[in-house]
Amino acid sequence: VSDLPQIRRKAERVSAAHVLAAFRGVGRRSLLAWLDAAGAHDMPVREAVRRLAKGEAALEAGRVALEGQLADPEGPAARAACAEGCAFCCILAGEDGGTMTEAEAVRLHASLSRLAGEPDGRVWHPRACPALDPETRTCRAYDARPSICRSYISPDAALCEDIAEGTPRPGPGVLGGHVLYLSVLALTRETLRGVAAVPTYSLARLAAAAVRDDSLEEALAASRHAPRELRDEIARHKKAMNG
Ligand code: SF4
Ligand code: SF4
């Protein structure tokens, strides 16, 4: 690509059929707004591509949406049972633990690598996130926690405990801001197809690599997803939202 307007025209056209219909329009508008802001700041096209590939448009869209959803006095966040030290949601399902952008992966690595060698969440529970403090059960990388952790809520901690032990329960889940973030990320990937890769990373694998003191390059290599993982993650949310 030679300039930002060329990327913008592509972003206007990409189909991203796997993105949930309810999030496609707002996701595209968010991506276009990010590109317009980049243009207004005379951002060089190479810099814009580099930042998009790290997931910055997706993070910005998700952050703004989550801010509103978490502050809504009538919304599900106002009825959530979430409290400090209540960490059943940090017992991760499977080996993956959740999807992150590259910007989040880099931030989480920087936050956790200084704690390498200290007892981590797996002392408390074998499938707990390595970022968890096993004593206080609080996140040791709170400011660097990714979108999935910022958006997951539940009306009852007992439901989360059941889910952590493998019994499905309705109720806990992510706020819409996280699905918007995934949608903008998928639209970004389609827009940059043939220009730059837009990778995603596994939360559990990145955190494990960081606390065993892997370098950033090693940790990113150990946790990089196959391209289909973003599509699969969106499909899982689609299924959850459709009940
Ligand atoms: S999502 Fe569940 S386990 Fe996590 S803080 Fe909220 S109530 Fe507790
Ligand atoms: S990064 Fe922090 S909040 Fe997220 S799962 Fe790990 S310990 Fe929990």
Side-chain angles (χ1 to χ4, degrees):
V1 289
S2 56
D3 56 22
L4 281 177
Q6 196 182 347
I7 298 180
R8 198 184 193 287
R9 285 194 294 278
K10 244 179 125 183
E12 283 174 333
R13 287 196 314 267
V14 289
S15 66
H18 59 293
V19 170
L20 277 85
F23 289 86
R24 201 172 298 132
V26 63
R28 193 187 308 277
R29 286 195 293 281
S30 300
L31 177 54
L32 293 174
W34 191 93
L35 286 165
D36 289 344
H41 287 94
D42 294 324
M43 192 184 290
V45 66
R46 271 169 170 260
E47 175 70 1
V49 167
R50 190 185 68 78
R51 292 170 73 160
L52 284 170
K54 292 175 85 173
E56 288 197 12
L59 277 168
E60 178 64 10
R63 185 188 64 76
V64 170
L66 276 178
E67 239 172 49
Q69 289 158 2
L70 290 168
D72 180 0
E74 307 296 326
R79 298 185 294 277
C82 302
E84 197 173 312
C86 173
F88 300 112
C89 54
C90 301
I91 297 173
L92 305 175
E95 290 180 358
D96 191 80
T99 292
M100 297 187 295
T101 60
E102 185 156 317
E104 290 171 301
V106 169
R107 261 205 308 269
L108 189 60
H109 179 274
S111 179
L112 285 177
S113 54
R114 66 195 163 83
L115 303 171
E118 292 184 11
D120 67 59
R122 292 167 294 184
V123 172
W124 167 56
H125 190 287
R127 284 188 290 106
C129 177
L132 196 70
D133 184 315
E135 291 293 323
T136 62
R137 295 183 201 168
T138 53
C139 180
R140 299 184 298 164
Y142 193 75
D143 291 340
R145 72 200 192 289
S147 170
I148 190 158
C149 307
R150 293 170 189 267
S151 59
Y152 196 88
I153 60 166
S154 170
D156 185 344
L159 298 170
C160 304
E161 187 170 9
D162 286 350
I163 291 170
E165 296 312 325
T167 307
R169 296 280 187 215
V174 294
L175 290 164
H178 183 65
V179 184
L180 175 62
Y181 146 101
L182 292 171
S183 304
V184 176
L185 199 57
L187 286 160
T188 303
R189 182 179 281 180
E190 294 268 317
T191 299
L192 294 188
R193 190 174 296 281
V195 177
V198 181
T200 61
Y201 297 85
S202 151
L203 165 58
R205 292 206 296 273
L206 187 287
V211 300
R212 70 172 178 254
D213 211 14
D214 283 8
S215 68
L216 175 61
E217 290 69 28
E218 289 167 333
L220 291 177
S223 59
R224 186 167 171 139
H225 278 152
R228 65 160 201 289
E229 186 52 44
L230 178 58
R231 186 177 288 256
D232 291 351
E233 173 102 2
I234 289 172
R236 284 192 288 274
H237 287 292
K238 196 182 272 186
K239 197 172 162 199
M241 286 181 154
N242 292 336

